[in-house]
Amino acid sequence: MDSILFIQLLNGLQLGILLFLLSAGLTLTFGIMDFVNLAHGSFYMLGAFFCASLTLATGSFWLGALLALPLTAIAGFVVEKLVIQHLYRRDHLEHVLATFGLILCIDTLTHLYWGPEGIAVPLPAVLNGQIELFEGVVFPTFRLLIIGTGCIVALGLYLLVNHTRVGMLIRAGASNRTMVSALGIDIKALFSAVFALGATLAGVAGMLIAPITEASIGMGNDIIITTFVVIIIGGIGSMKGAFLAALLIGMIDTIGRSFLDDFFKVLMSSEAAETAAPAVSAMLIYILMAIVLAVRPQGLFPPSSR
Amino acid sequence: MSEVILSVNDLCKRFGGVTATDHVNLAVLKGETHALIGPNGAGKTTLISQLSGLLKPDQGSIVFQGKDITDLPAHQYCEAGLARSFQITSVFPDFSLLDNIALAVQANQGHAFRFWANARRDPTLRRSAHEWLGMVNLDDRADWLASEVSHGERRQLEIAMALATEPSLLLLDEPMAGMGQEESGAMISILKSLRGEKTVLLVEHDMDAVFALADRISVLVYGKVIATGSPQDIRSNSEVQRAYLGEVA
Amino acid sequence: MRWFSIVLLLILAIVPPVAFITGHAFWMDLFTRLVVLAIAAVALNLILGYGGLVSFGHAAYLGLGAYAVGIPVYHATYGGFDSIASYNGFVHLGIAIAVSAVYALVTGAISLRTRGVNFIMITMAFGQMIFYAIVSLETYGGDDGLTIDVRSEFPGINLDNPLALYGLCYGSLVLVLYLVYRISNSRFGLTLQGARSNEERMRAIGVDCYRYRLTAYVISGVICGYAGFLLGNFTTFISPEMMDWTRSGEIMFMVILGGATYLCGPVIGALVFILLEHLLSEITVYWHLPFGLLLIASVLFLRGGLAGALSNPPWFRKDRSSALASDTSTAASGTATKAPTRADDDV
């Protein structure tokens, strides 16, 4: 196999995994609470900043990431208690507007505490190198860690949702809210827990990306839209859809950015290709979304219960 | 009597393992009030949803005024001349009663791609909207919002909206549902005034109303039509009695 | 409400020119931006308020309209693309309207097949698509933006004169308000509102809501593209940042803050939004924090927007008018009217 293609596929996989971590939380909150959270990207950013600060303070990325996890969860929990909780019974438009205000608040608080500059996250030497996967193909160790962590989280999430009591409640709650409360489950606590879980997942994605891009204000606002594209294509509320669509988007976006200009050069003059390719590759996932929606307005894997 | 206006041929609809309508055959004659009755879960609502195009049958056909309309989208059922009211009241809650009717009237007059003229000052709309409201005795409430009037009045409004589309056949899905004595009395007298003028297919639980209004009655049990005939025939039909007594027991 | 709207429009007609003539050019600038954004908000209100379609991608039209000025001017100055290179305002206007209409038609045709949250997210994603497309166009500055060297040229009006530009923007706002007023009361407008109120009912009386929604979506997009054309001429510096999704959020907020379904609601919203933004940013660099808190508070406590509160103040709420609001808010005002009764019981 062509080694450049292979590496790009791995990069695509890595992006897909990150997108899955983000979209899993979003699709859970939507599936269960029928809540649209624009501020989901803020937890991605918070995760990155917590991790960055703690890594610098403790001198260890491992310790920093480990400590950042509960912090992100607490941030999610607090935000849910303060604001989100009061919005569940409102309509989607109000969700969107209130969480839009929330983004401004969280961004500014981050600015207040950490300052306007981004924070780079130093990696331990073990992770900072490259691994020769097989002859002639080297890949950054840390990116492999991202892929590995993502796969473990995805597996954990799968087990949680499909094989535990909490997961049963989550699935039941997604399809029948009144039923769950009729069973005597504290629906408020369940909602808080799910929201905090979703925030933590987004935070994990932030921690994983921070060493590559550094933690910066507004980093969540760019990726949240891509996350939306993922869950729209996957079918809103569907975990399986989110997983498959995240990988698909990750691959297509990465491959498009790296090979589209070569492909275009076959079709047109190289000058035209160099102008057109970046524009088209930037639009690629949106075009894909448009095509999917034109054929299946509910997305590829809409949850059957809704 | 006269010609068949609606004929339902061999209509089937299954939901998973449940057969909601099982080879239903039904003929509605022009000008009659035809009642469709049956115990709970007999498939009445499924049938009426298919007759209004909201559900597509798995098999069979619906022929209306000599035209096969089975595969038309729901909004074209109305153009074809089939109007319905809903079991659960469905009106425009934030519109005035008059505007509710006006929407139906303008829908009946053709497309609404008119962007400039004030529809609320359009005499052709207003006048006929008032007429239809008068027909269901609601003209004195014309300026009230649909969400402000009583349940019974909203049901009357629905009938008026259906009438305003000037249908050849009116499908009424339990118009008396959830009404008190007085309200259903008012509704029965409105429906009586339509007898002979309009062809009506009436799905109703209230047997007094059915026997007071219907020219003919079809009985639906477990998705099948087990009998069709005049009210007297149905009253004395042993199969019907069994179906209804069976439900009680 | 009607008198309030007239007063508001009079203020907008008088205050900025007076400020300009008396040497406060800054206020003129602020108000020009305000009026342009108000046009965009009024356009959004046509589908959001009257049509019930929560489009989160309207900043894209602002950008398309602005680049419809920027790109022809760029080519007229630096050469290339002779077919569109021009300083002529009518060319710019034509391109702005045509491009907005086509973009609205294509994205609308796809987005309107979906409902609710999907619709919100899809319009957002399409908006972001245009954002990235412009970012990747290096010729026109990409991320760094593009300076418009020459404003659109029209016979008899010089847009370099701030007073003339404001006049054009203000006149456009009044015209657009009148247009939306006519549309909302026409047969088309009633159909659009009917589709918002009860789509199933619309279908039962024989109306295919999709066509009407799409038409409204295109009208709204074109008006918003026109606002973008004005914005480009006003700022003379355009960048993809002006079509970022957070910008769409701001326009939407103006509509809701002011009061959707009220004709002048979006204008009130734009006024409050821009003035608040200005005042807060004078006080602190961290003005986004109080601003964000105000946004959240207004969602939680201010239903029906400012226009709603003005025409139906909470301390004088009649039963009939509270039913005007949607189902959820009827429930809320229901609890609001219950609250005093409970207080009485306590006494």
Side-chain angles (χ1 to χ4, degrees), chain A residues 192-214:
Chain A
S192 301
V194 169
F195 192 87
L197 174 69
T200 315
L201 288 173
V204 171
M207 293 166 208
L208 290 174
I209 201 70
I212 300 177
T213 62
E214 82 182 18

Side-chain angles (χ1 to χ4, degrees), chain A:
Chain A
M1 193 194 247
D2 187 346
S3 69
I4 300 176
L5 179 64
F6 182 74
I7 286 177
Q8 290 302 348
L9 281 176
L10 274 182
N11 281 333
L13 182 63
Q14 178 238 304
L15 177 62
I17 290 284
L18 280 179
L19 287 175
F20 170 67
L21 289 176
L22 277 159
S23 48
L26 203 59
T27 214
L28 267 181
T29 30
F30 182 76
I32 295 163
M33 287 95 105
D34 195 20
F35 184 77
V36 199
N37 184 14
L38 288 191
H40 194 66
S42 298
F43 296 107
Y44 171 77
M45 176 184 73
L46 282 179
F49 271 99
F50 284 140
C51 178
S53 262
L54 291 165
T55 302
L56 295 178
T58 60
S60 153
F61 174 72
W62 300 110
L63 205 55
L66 202 65
L67 290 171
L69 273 179
L71 276 180
T72 322
I74 291 169
F77 186 79
V78 170
V79 167
E80 203 265 354
K81 283 284 169 226
L82 285 179
V83 181
I84 310 291
Q85 211 189 47
H86 308 287
L87 291 164
Y88 291 137
R89 299 183 60 187
R90 304 292 190 81
D91 60 24
H92 292 145
L93 173 62
E94 291 173 307
H95 297 171
V96 165
L97 292 169
T99 50
F100 180 67
L102 207 54
I103 292 177
L104 296 181
C105 293
I106 297 179
D107 276 0
T108 319
L109 287 173
T110 312
H111 184 182
L112 265 168
Y113 188 79
W114 280 286
E117 301 295 321
I119 307 177
V121 180
L123 281 175
V126 198
L127 294 175
N128 212 0
Q130 297 201 321
I131 286 185
E132 188 161 17
L133 293 173
F134 36 85
E135 226 182 280
V137 179
V138 288
F139 195 70
T141 320
F142 187 68
R143 286 179 189 259
L144 282 182
L145 180 82
I146 295 180
I147 295 172
T149 316
C151 290
I152 292 168
V153 173
L155 185 69
L157 217 48
Y158 172 79
L159 293 176
L160 176 78
V161 172
N162 288 302
H163 295 284
T164 65
R165 193 178 139 72
V166 176
M168 189 201 76
L169 288 176
I170 289 176
R171 276 178 294 141
S175 52
N176 195 337
R177 239 153 285 165
T178 29
M179 188 63 167
V180 173
S181 30
L183 286 171
I185 307 299
D186 183 353
I187 202 97
K188 268 188 160 180
L190 180 70
F191 281 11
S192 301
V194 169
F195 192 87
L197 174 69
T200 315
L201 288 173
V204 171
M207 293 166 208
L208 290 174
I209 201 70
I212 300 177
T213 62
E214 82 182 18
S216 63
I217 291 169
M219 64 189 278
N221 302 349
D222 293 332
I223 202 152
I224 188 76
I225 306 287
T226 320
T227 311
F228 282 159
V229 173
V230 167
I231 66 173
I232 291 166
I233 291 183
I236 299 185
S238 155
M239 198 59 115
K240 175 181 149 203
F243 184 71
L244 294 174
L247 294 188
L248 183 71
I249 293 290
M251 292 288 178
I252 288 185
D253 194 50
T254 312
I255 303 290
R257 279 175 207 279
S258 26
F259 298 112
L260 206 61
D261 55 341
D262 291 339
F263 178 68
F264 274 19
K265 275 175 193 161
V266 181
L267 301 174
M268 54 183 96
S269 76
S270 70
E271 195 189 340
E274 265 159 35
T275 322
V280 174
S281 63
M283 293 165 68
L284 207 54
I285 59 169
Y286 303 100
I287 296 169
L288 178 75
M289 176 190 77
I291 295 169
V292 168
L293 286 177
V295 185
R296 286 179 66 103
Q298 337 68 22
L300 292 177
F301 309 96
S304 49
S305 51
R306 281 175 151 288

